[in-house]
Amino acid sequence: DKRQTLIITAPHDGLVSFDESVLKAGTWIGKSEPLISVYDFAKQEVRGFVPEPHFARLETHGKAYFYPVSAPHISMDLEVRSLESASVHDIKDPLFLSVFEGGVAVRQDQKERYIPDQASFPIYFNVANPESVAIDHSHIERGVVVIEGQARSLFIRMVTKIWSIFVRESSF
C-alpha cells in the first residue's frame, strides 16, 4: 500500500529534533539534507563548539567535565573524542544558538541561517565512565563543559590574536 511507504522510522529509539525554520512551506530542501535528527540515548555523547581563541589549547583524548544546567552540582567525566579543524559557517541545531538560550552567539543572515559571531569549531566528547553517570538521559540536557587545556602565556595569546586578525582581514 502506498501509505506504508510514507511512514518514516528511525533505526533506534530517541528524541526527535528539527529546525523549524527549514520546515516552512515553500522552502527548498536538498535530497541529502536532513530534516530531523534522532538523538540516541544508548550512545552517550556530549557535543559542543569551541571558540577560536581556545581552539589551539585543546587536543583529543583530553579530560573534560560536563555540568548540566539543571543540576550544576553534578558533573560527568568526559574525554575529548574529536575536535574538528574547520570552523562551522552556520549552526543548524537550535540547542546551541544564543537566540534559543544556547551558548554560541549567532546572528541571522538574509537566508535565515544562524552564523556564529566568532569562529566556532565542533567538538565531540565520550562519557568516560558511563556506568557512574547520575544524569537523567530521558531528554537532552544543556550544560557547560570545562576542558583541561594547555596553558598559554599572555604574550603567546596576544601574538596569536594579532596573527588571527591579520589572517582574517587579509583574506588568506
Side-chain angles (χ1 to χ4, degrees):
D1 163 272
K2 285 188 178 184
R3 284 194 287 179
Q4 204 62 9
T5 62
L6 298 176
I7 297 174
I8 300 171
T9 58
H12 54 78
D13 292 339
L15 178 69
V16 175
S17 174
F18 61 92
D19 181 0
E20 291 180 28
S21 67
V22 172
L23 300 177
K24 289 182 185 173
T27 303
W28 183 85
I29 300 171
K31 188 176 183 178
S32 62
E33 190 172 343
L35 295 176
I36 62 171
S37 297
V38 180
Y39 296 98
D40 183 359
F41 296 118
K43 297 179 182 175
Q44 296 180 10
E45 175 185 72
V46 175
R47 58 193 174 104
F49 293 92
V50 175
E52 183 179 25
H54 302 295
F55 177 77
R57 298 176 55 200
L58 304 177
E59 55 190 37
T60 56
H61 305 295
K63 288 184 178 183
Y65 308 93
F66 175 77
Y67 297 91
V69 170
S70 64
H73 59 283
I74 296 174
S75 70
M76 180 168 55
D77 294 346
L78 305 174
E79 178 184 43
V80 177
R81 184 179 75 226
S82 65
L83 179 61
E84 293 188 16
S85 59
S87 65
V88 294
H89 299 291
D90 65 303
I91 299 175
K92 294 178 177 36
D93 193 334
L95 290 171
F96 296 105
L97 306 177
S98 58
V99 294
F100 298 111
E101 300 181 12
V104 181
V106 295
R107 58 182 159 58
Q108 213 170 3
D109 68 2
Q110 299 85 359
K111 296 180 182 178
E112 297 186 5
R113 295 178 301 188
Y114 293 101
I115 312 301
D117 284 346
Q118 67 175 329
S120 297
F121 299 84
I123 187 167
Y124 303 91
F125 304 90
N126 288 330
V127 178
N129 301 314
E131 64 282 348
S132 67
V133 175
I135 296 172
D136 178 16
H137 290 286
S138 63
H139 64 283
I140 294 173
E141 182 72 53
R142 278 191 178 153
V144 174
V145 175
V146 177
I147 308 168
E148 293 182 4
Q150 298 172 350
R152 295 280 164 99
S153 71
L154 181 59
F155 176 74
I156 295 295
R157 288 190 305 216
M158 284 184 359
V159 168
T160 304
K161 181 71 172 173
I162 291 168
W163 179 250
S164 67
I165 291 170
F166 173 75
V167 169
R168 183 174 55 239
E169 295 302 321
S170 61
S171 299
F172 277 135

